[in-house]
Amino acid sequence: KVEGVEENVQAPELGEEIVADENSEKAAKETDNEECLSSEIIEDDTTGLSEKLAKIKNTLPMNRPLWIAGNFNFFIFDTHEMTNGDSEGRVAVGKKAIYNQYAIAQTITTEENQYPVAVVLGNGGSFSLTSGQVSGNIITDSKDNVTLQYAGAGAIDEMNVNNDIIDFAALQKKYIVLSYFLALKVPTGTVQYNQYNKNCLELKASDDADKMVVFTLPPDVTSLGEIQISNIDMEKQPTIVINSMGNAIGQTAQMMINGSSELAKSYAGRIIWNLPLAMPGHDIPIAGTIYGSVLAPTGDFRVAGYGNIEGTFIANSFVSKGNFEGHNNPFIGKLPPITCPNLEELEYWMNLQP
């Protein structure tokens, strides 16, 4: 049982197109483990909803590879505080959102969506923007929670957010389960430092890696310079999962995939960084660029300099005093349904612990 997670929490399957590969299905049949969590896809039922709420549900579908968070650039359960920069995509904040000289949802167009949602604020949460622009509507349970100074925004819609759109508390528990589930996956690639350059980390996929390539960075890797990912079979378009056990995130040098730096940005939508040991109250520094989405539902992050993410950032809190940009590069990878770990995964996890 994961601490802080209720028993029998029902989690959806990760996306409509997500299926376990043949080896995973075979392994599941060979074990007596029952599924810990339901792998049933959560579909939004718009029956009986108001026209506006139905449009919001269709604009923010739950059945994305990272569930509803996949519709956002930043999905923060507690506090999101940003100074300078912008978030090209949408922002969802559970409690406190503070922005100064910041722009939100500049790349979200009303033509592509049924409802121009830019910001979703949890019930009782506060939103403050000084000098900036929100390119769309702000959804909150009360207009009194929104403060705009020298800033523009679309409409401010009052709705019961936690009940009708995003239940932040319940979803945080589900993302915690997902994070531990991915952390248990046995690596299908190796991790080592370049023998001539200790600032370069080499991640090499095994020859038999299939639809999901898993790398696990050990706890002593706490910062990242250059990253070289190799032996990726681009014809299979595999999802790359990087479990960062030392909470290393953000790199100060380039990333290369199969020898190409151009692939890092174009392939970022299939990369997910998982930080299962990022705990509240322990600030994690970020520097440089993050290629891929970040899953750290209990992590608190602090940015002092410049940087950006090519993907979705899921965290407990995120505070930037520098200039950090969110680039709207949604996660489109495929992850298997959540199941109880098999014996191999349990043995791997036990051996990984100090």
Side-chain angles (χ1 to χ4, degrees):
K1 179 180 178 181
V2 180
E3 184 177 355
V5 179
E6 298 176 359
E7 294 183 2
N8 300 321
V9 174
Q10 297 298 305
E13 184 173 324
L14 306 183
E16 186 174 11
E17 298 181 350
I18 298 164
V19 295
D21 58 34
E22 294 180 358
N23 292 331
S24 298
E25 292 177 350
K26 181 179 179 181
K29 292 177 181 179
E30 291 176 350
T31 64
D32 295 327
N33 292 333
E34 296 181 354
E35 289 192 356
C36 296
L37 305 169
S38 170
S39 61
E40 180 182 356
I41 297 174
I42 287 185
E43 295 284 359
D44 289 315
D45 184 5
T46 59
T47 305
L49 299 181
S50 67
E51 182 180 357
K52 178 184 290 187
L53 186 54
K55 287 183 177 180
I56 294 174
K57 291 281 190 179
N58 290 329
T59 300
L60 305 175
M62 187 69 173
N63 61 346
R64 303 236 2 208
L66 281 178
W67 307 330
I68 196 168
N71 299 290
F72 295 85
N73 223 161
F74 290 94
F75 195 89
I76 310 299
F77 296 104
D78 197 298
T79 300
H80 192 214
E81 183 175 351
M82 307 292 279
T83 299
N84 298 320
D86 70 307
S87 171
E88 292 181 351
R90 302 182 183 93
V91 170
V93 182
K95 295 183 179 179
K96 183 186 296 184
I98 303 173
Y99 306 108
N100 184 34
Q101 298 181 18
Y102 204 72
I104 297 174
Q106 291 179 303
T107 65
I108 302 299
T109 62
T110 55
E111 291 80 7
E112 297 173 353
N113 302 281
Q114 294 191 25
Y115 179 85
V117 55
V119 176
V120 178
L121 189 65
N123 286 0
S126 60
F127 178 94
S128 173
L129 173 60
T130 302
S131 183
Q133 180 67 38
V134 178
S135 299
N137 294 1
I138 300 173
I139 303 177
T140 174
D141 68 323
S142 174
K143 293 181 180 179
D144 294 337
N145 297 333
V146 178
T147 301
L148 299 173
Q149 295 181 321
Y150 310 108
I156 301 176
D157 283 337
E158 291 184 334
M159 311 189 81
N160 188 334
V161 174
N162 290 13
N163 184 67
D164 295 333
I165 303 174
I166 297 176
D167 186 337
F168 284 92
L171 278 171
Q172 187 173 28
K173 294 176 181 179
K174 296 181 189 298
Y175 284 113
I176 291 172
V177 174
L178 172 60
S179 181
Y180 274 87
F181 167 74
L182 293 177
L184 281 166
K185 292 302 173 185
V186 178
T188 55
T190 59
V191 176
Q192 66 179 21
Y193 283 106
N194 182 287
Q195 60 177 328
Y196 303 109
N197 182 6
K198 297 304 180 183
N199 193 47
C200 176
L201 201 60
E202 298 176 334
L203 283 60
K204 183 179 181 180
S206 61
D207 292 334
D208 59 351
D210 195 17
K211 297 178 182 179
M212 187 170 74
V213 180
V214 180
F215 299 106
T216 296
L217 310 188
D220 60 347
V221 177
T222 57
S223 62
L224 300 171
E226 181 178 347
I227 297 177
Q228 294 186 0
I229 302 176
S230 62
N231 207 33
I232 299 297
D233 188 341
M234 301 306 294
E235 290 186 0
K236 294 180 179 179
Q237 295 282 285
T239 297
I240 299 176
V241 177
I242 304 176
N243 291 313
S244 182
M245 309 310 287
N247 296 330
I249 192 68
Q251 57 188 91
T252 57
Q254 68 180 349
M255 172 186 280
M256 300 184 71
I257 299 179
N258 291 354
S260 170
S261 59
E262 295 296 324
L263 271 178
K265 184 175 181 178
S266 63
Y267 206 77
R270 299 182 185 276
I271 301 174
I272 183 166
W273 294 80
N274 180 37
L275 281 65
L277 302 182
M279 296 299 163
H282 300 277
D283 291 352
I284 300 171
I286 298 178
T289 299
I290 302 171
Y291 292 100
S293 292
V294 175
L295 177 62
T298 55
D300 292 333
F301 296 85
R302 299 294 180 270
V303 181
Y306 294 83
N308 65 276
I309 179 171
E310 297 286 342
T312 295
F313 207 115
I314 303 173
N316 185 60
S317 72
F318 190 104
V319 175
S320 173
K321 298 297 185 181
N323 188 321
F324 193 90
E325 297 180 351
H327 295 170
N328 191 29
N329 196 339
F331 179 73
I332 58 173
K334 297 181 180 180
L335 299 173
I338 296 177
T339 60
C340 280
N342 57 40
L343 182 59
E344 182 184 15
E345 292 169 341
L346 288 174
E347 289 178 342
Y348 161 73
W349 182 255
M350 295 299 294
N351 291 331
L352 188 66
Q353 301 307 299

